[in-house]
Amino acid sequence: MKTQSKLYFYLIISAVLLVIIAVLSLNTGVYDFGENSPFRALWQFIKGDPSLSLSDKYVIWDVRAARIVMAILIGGMLSVSGTSLQGLFKNPLATGDLIGLTSGATLLAAIAIVLGGHFKEYLPEVVQFSLVGIAAFIGSFLSMMLVYRISTSGGKTNVVMMLLTGVAITAIGFSITGFLIYISKDEQLRDLTFWNLGSLAAATWTKNIILAVVMTIAYMILLPKGKALNAMMLGEKDAQHLGINVEKLKKQIIITVALMVGTCVAFSGTIGFVGLIVPYILRLLFKSNNTFILPLSAMCGSILLLTADTFSRSIVAPSELPIGILTALMGGPIFIAILVKFKKSL
């Protein structure tokens, strides 16, 4: 089977699995539709059936369907961002949450939540509406630039310095966020708790449209970069000899990943380890062929986060377990496995 045909085959299998999980997720929840079923309610909504009650319509479309779509969008973007960074830095530990991107986004989002009321009225109305999202993107971008500047010397990126810088940024970010939690009011405290634990409960179709636009732009930039990232594995000089504009590639990936991570954090809070789990598993299956891994990570990241979200709202029903707890629980053992593998190779 040719490489392209194999990729299409795996993408189709992943898409079918994603649809099955989405259908199961749509049918999962504590709300009682009575004699109706979630699928029948969805079909009635699509047809515009006037007999569908407002409560059924709200739950099936504005709660469950919106949440499923958000899980698919955010899961794919977090996974692709991790895969892109790992390919760029040639290290499986380079993910948005481990090198400080998530912490930086969370910090500026927290500042916007707690202190935004003091200056929000002076900003344009469009900026007021999306202040937290803009702040999260700026925090993610500044963190990425700081990590890159500190860990790069003479055109070469020191992976150890990169990870240590990420640890330092994460520590600083969480300490300032902790101070903001201390001085925040009750409503602000609830919002900050949402950021720190991660949740898709606030999913809306407006947010999904924004996420879809960001995802489309980011995927158009990153998904064709598989061959370039494969060349980067040989080293920056060898990649340049193969015709890769290394500096341009770095800037494109850094800015695009910062945009994706910042947007995801703005709408869902801190959901860690998705960008670590999926690429690691895919590399076990397809080695380090980024031509395969990048598009497949988009599908598999969606599958992972949608599955985790479905469990998060059914394990302790009618309550909801923050999804960040589940992804961290899954990602921790994977992180340890990577470290053990590195230890053996030393």
Side-chain angles (χ1 to χ4, degrees), residues 143-342:
S143 297
M144 184 73 259
M145 290 304 298
L146 183 60
V147 169
Y148 179 70
R149 292 291 183 186
I150 294 177
S151 61
T152 302
S153 178
K156 295 183 179 180
T157 302
N158 187 311
V159 175
V160 175
M161 284 296 295
M162 177 191 68
L163 295 174
L164 291 176
T165 304
V167 170
I169 291 175
T170 301
I172 295 170
F174 283 140
S175 65
I176 299 176
T177 303
F179 173 73
L180 292 171
I181 290 174
Y182 180 76
I183 65 172
S184 62
K185 299 176 182 178
D186 288 343
E187 183 179 352
Q188 296 168 345
L189 182 61
R190 284 194 294 271
D191 290 338
L192 287 171
T193 302
F194 160 79
W195 294 116
N196 287 329
L197 295 179
S199 174
L200 302 178
T204 65
W205 287 107
T206 301
K207 293 178 181 178
N208 285 340
I209 291 172
I210 297 172
L211 285 167
V213 171
V214 172
M215 184 193 74
T216 302
I217 295 171
Y219 282 8
M220 288 175 63
I221 295 171
L222 294 179
L223 294 188
K225 294 288 189 290
K227 291 183 179 179
L229 290 175
N230 286 344
M232 286 289 289
M233 294 177 61
L234 302 173
E236 293 185 10
K237 290 184 179 180
D238 289 334
Q240 286 177 334
H241 290 315
L242 291 172
I244 306 298
N245 189 332
V246 174
E247 289 305 315
K248 182 180 178 181
L249 178 67
K250 288 180 180 178
K251 290 176 182 178
Q252 287 180 333
I253 291 178
I254 287 171
I255 294 173
T256 307
V257 167
L259 174 63
M260 287 197 296
V261 172
T263 308
C264 291
V265 171
F267 292 149
S268 66
T270 305
I271 301 178
F273 289 103
V274 176
L276 179 75
I277 300 171
V278 175
Y280 176 74
I281 294 174
L282 289 177
R283 281 193 176 89
L284 290 177
L285 299 174
F286 303 106
K287 304 303 178 183
S288 295
N289 187 352
N290 288 291
T291 306
F292 265 79
I293 295 174
L294 271 173
L296 282 175
S297 66
M299 297 297 298
C300 294
S302 299
I303 291 171
L304 174 67
L305 195 61
L306 181 57
T307 303
D309 183 59
T310 304
F311 276 108
S312 74
R313 56 191 178 88
S314 59
I315 291 176
V316 290
S319 299
E320 179 182 320
L321 189 69
I323 194 170
I325 294 176
L326 284 179
T327 56
L329 191 63
M330 290 186 289
I334 297 292
F335 186 74
I336 293 172
I338 295 174
L339 293 177
V340 170
K341 185 177 180 180
F342 267 110

